[in-house]
Amino acid sequence: KMILDTHQDLPLVSIDRGKMEQVFLNLLDNAVKFSSPGGLITIRVFLENGFIRVDFKDTGMGIEEEHLPRIFERFYRVDKGRSRDLGGTGLGLSIVKHIVQAHRGRVSVESEVGKGSVFSVFLPIGL
């Protein structure tokens, strides 16, 4: 199940549409891959402190705290066996980070084992 929660009247942001599609598809794909069957994925878009914030929240397995500082590094995989089974190379989140930074934004993650993860993209408002 998936929920999209977006607010009307959000200000414009200047983005490369193709690159940002790559970011959002990667985060959505990860949420689907690492969620348990019957899980819930919520995408929430809202304004926060001069940024458009886009959250990708899942009710999946979560990520152990020790892995969170390295999750956006190239080739870093939390669960190497499962990532390999699902086709992961360990590059997706690194690419996400670099694209978002090229847009003068940032990306973050919060996670709790057994409860899921929230990946957040912050994009500065304005053209």
Side-chain angles (χ1 to χ4, degrees):
K1 183 176 177 181
M2 185 163 49
I3 296 173
L4 176 61
D5 177 13
T6 182
H7 294 247
Q8 299 283 334
D9 303 323
L10 289 171
L12 296 176
V13 294
S14 179
I15 61 167
D16 176 318
R17 182 179 175 163
K19 296 286 185 190
M20 206 50 62
E21 282 179 5
Q22 186 177 1
V23 166
F24 295 154
L25 286 173
N26 184 290
L27 294 174
L28 179 58
D29 184 56
N30 282 351
V32 170
K33 273 195 238 183
F34 295 105
S35 283
S36 15
L40 176 65
I41 297 168
T42 304
I43 301 170
R44 187 169 173 238
V45 185
F46 58 101
L47 184 62
E48 181 178 281
N49 299 324
F51 289 85
I52 296 293
R53 178 174 172 171
V54 184
D55 286 349
F56 290 80
K57 180 179 181 180
D58 66 64
T59 56
M61 67 178 77
I63 304 164
E64 294 173 348
E65 190 173 342
E66 67 196 59
H67 296 289
L68 294 178
R70 299 190 61 200
I71 198 83
F72 295 102
E73 291 179 13
R74 285 186 318 160
F75 305 113
Y76 188 80
R77 294 186 293 187
V78 172
D79 182 345
K80 292 170 181 39
R82 181 168 174 164
S83 294
R84 193 170 24 256
D85 292 344
L86 295 171
T89 62
L91 287 172
L93 290 176
S94 174
I95 292 168
V96 164
K97 175 184 156 188
H98 290 289
I99 291 172
V100 171
Q101 286 178 337
H103 284 80
R104 301 179 341 267
R106 65 185 172 87
V107 63
S108 67
V109 61
E110 295 176 20
S111 189
E112 190 173 341
V113 174
K115 294 194 175 183
S117 303
V118 180
F119 284 83
S120 301
V121 173
F122 298 84
L123 298 168
I125 59 172
L127 297 175

